[in-house]
């Protein structure tokens, strides 16, 4: 059996009628930038997340960057970030000119450890940026509690968690603002790059709208030095179709994840995802850990199973941050995760037979 890591054809086949209709509607509109499709998606996604405002932007990295810029976080300021995350979280802070302050994750959840945050706060700290990594919510209540005591902004990196819930509330609605990615592989994926900011802060939303469009509210009248980071009108039309299926597709992901958790329970040396009782993951990824990860990946590849590593190099050891001088051993929890994590196939179109095959081959590989 051949099992791809993620099936990109099946979503189109399932939604073909709606997606084709969205394409022709867009083509006939003769309005291709910041039109009615973007406006409609912004309202629909805001309603879905349970927030007042959504601002569509070019991608998830720019969503985070524009939030930081809109809050006037700049050179001389510090932002607390997880040591274990995709590098886009860090790059957003770097683009704003602020200083990164990495904090280690909870080894059980792989998300930012709330107990480590207070010790990293200084007089220059302006924000905390928790990531809902792999689609599992970070523990937001203690993070928010620390932030409120110190007057800090909380900016969610919600790139991987559309549809996840924390104590019954959607991620993307829990902090002061959130950056969302609709990269094609995400649970709510466009057919190209796309992103959005979600928030209840009217001033923040207004500022992001200004910054995303060259710093202009009225064409050719530029109030500030802005950017060109606008959600594409066609991608917005496609995202509206996929948003209507997001909960159902996340439900299918939960079924696969539950099957893995059952079938892989007790597998030799394998650490399975830990889900706190207050979390409802979106199951963007199903990430296991094993001390012989590379051997496991090789065995699964030989069995025709697609896997990926999220992520093989922690940001502090990447070439992008070599100038910071972080040596190996600086953030040992993140480094151990990078050496041991492996993502198994997971998606709304993975069949029960395919999931069973993946679990069976994984059990054989770790014996």
């Amino acid at each position: 059996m051949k099992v791809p890591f993620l099936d990109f054809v099946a979503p189109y086949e399932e939604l073909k009628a709606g997606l084709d209709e969205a394409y022709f509607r867009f083509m006939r509109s003769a309005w291709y930038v910041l039109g009615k499709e973007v406006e409609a998606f912004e309202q629909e996604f805001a309603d879905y997340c349970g927030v007042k405002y959504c601002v569509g932007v070019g991608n998830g990295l720019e969503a985070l960057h524009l939030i930081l810029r809109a809050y006037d976080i700049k050179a001389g300021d510090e932002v607390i970030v997880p040591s274990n995350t995709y590098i886009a979280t860090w790059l957003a802070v770097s683009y704003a000119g602020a200083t990164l302050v990495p904090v280690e994750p909870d080894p059980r959840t792989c998300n930012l450890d709330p107990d480590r945050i207070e010790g990293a706060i200084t007089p220059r700290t302006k924000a905390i940026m928790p990531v809902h990594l792999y689609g599992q919510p970070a523990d937001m209540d203690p993070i928010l509690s620390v932030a409120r005591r110190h007057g800090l902004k909380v900016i969610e990196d919600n790139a991987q968690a559309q549809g996840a819930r924390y104590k019954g509330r959607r991620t993307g609605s829990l902090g002061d603002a959130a950056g969302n990615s609709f990269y094609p592989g995400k649970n709510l994926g466009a057919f190209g790059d796309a992103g959005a900011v979600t928030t209840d802060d009217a001033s923040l939303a207004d500022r992001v709208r200004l910054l995303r469009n060259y710093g202009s509210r009225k064409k050719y009248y530029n109030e500030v030095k802005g950017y060109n980071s606008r959600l594409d009108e066609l991608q917005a039309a496609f995202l509206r179709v996929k948003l209507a299926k997001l909960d159902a597709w996340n439900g299918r992901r939960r079924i696969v994840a539950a099957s893995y958790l059952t079938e892989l329970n007790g597998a030799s040396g394998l650490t399975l995802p830990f889900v706190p009782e207050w979390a409802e993951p979106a199951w963007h990824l199903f990430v296991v850990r094993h001390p012989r990860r590379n051997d496991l990946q090789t065995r699964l590849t030989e069995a025709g199973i697609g896997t990926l590593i999220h992520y093989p190099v922690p940001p502090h050891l990447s070439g992008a941050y070599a100038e910071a001088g972080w040596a190996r051993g600086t953030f040992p929890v993140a480094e151990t995760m990078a050496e041991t994590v492996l993502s198994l196939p997971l998606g709304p179109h993975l069949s029960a037979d395919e999931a069973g095959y993946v679990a069976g081959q994984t059990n054989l590989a770790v014996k």
Side-chain angles (χ1 to χ4, degrees), residues 19-251:
L19 292 169
D20 289 354
E21 192 278 329
Y23 167 77
F24 288 114
R25 186 176 69 239
F26 159 79
M27 290 300 293
R28 292 173 182 135
S29 73
W31 192 295
Y32 304 132
V33 178
L34 293 184
K36 291 182 179 179
E37 297 293 345
V38 169
E39 290 178 4
F41 173 73
E42 287 175 338
Q43 185 60 61
E44 290 162 8
F45 192 62
D47 291 344
Y48 178 85
C49 292
V51 296
K52 295 177 182 177
Y53 309 103
C54 170
V55 184
V57 298
N59 54 63
L61 168 55
E62 290 172 0
L64 294 172
H65 176 219
L66 292 177
I67 293 169
L68 292 164
R69 283 296 313 276
Y71 278 137
D72 196 32
I73 293 173
K74 55 190 182 301
D77 297 332
E78 294 178 351
V79 178
I80 292 173
V81 296
S83 59
N84 179 56
T85 184
Y86 183 55
I87 199 169
T89 313
W90 285 38
L91 290 174
V93 178
S94 296
Y95 290 169
T99 299
L100 292 153
V101 179
V103 168
E104 290 271 65
D106 180 332
R108 300 174 305 161
T109 66
C110 302
N111 276 325
L112 184 63
D113 188 341
D115 293 337
R116 296 176 183 257
I117 293 174
E118 195 128 28
I121 294 172
T122 76
R124 294 188 296 172
T125 307
K126 292 293 189 286
I128 306 168
M129 191 179 286
V131 180
H132 304 306
L133 197 64
Y134 310 146
Q136 175 153 291
D139 193 358
M140 292 298 293
D141 279 353
I143 294 172
L144 288 163
S145 178
V146 172
R148 299 307 176 237
R149 286 200 304 273
H150 292 272
L152 308 177
K153 296 296 184 183
V154 175
I155 301 166
E156 298 170 75
D157 184 336
N158 196 42
Q160 300 184 3
Q162 287 83 32
R165 293 181 185 271
Y166 174 79
K167 298 183 179 179
R169 294 179 60 197
R170 299 272 195 201
T171 57
S173 70
L174 305 168
D176 295 289
N180 297 268
S181 169
F182 307 125
Y183 180 78
K186 297 297 195 290
N187 290 36
L188 180 59
F191 291 85
D193 266 328
V197 172
T198 50
T199 185
D200 283 324
D201 185 336
S203 296
L204 183 279
D206 182 67
R207 186 73 175 172
V208 171
R209 287 193 190 96
L210 180 68
L211 289 169
R212 76 173 175 182
N213 190 35
Y214 298 102
S216 173
R217 302 176 202 273
K218 182 180 178 182
K219 195 169 185 177
Y220 303 130
Y221 292 83
N222 303 84
E223 301 174 29
V224 298
K225 296 182 182 71
Y227 303 85
N228 177 10
S229 181
R230 301 172 295 201
L231 174 59
D232 184 82
E233 187 78 355
L234 178 59
Q235 297 302 337
F238 289 152
L239 285 166
R240 294 180 65 196
V241 178
K242 295 185 96 175
L243 179 59
K245 292 291 291 189
L246 180 56
D247 282 345
W249 283 6
N250 281 350

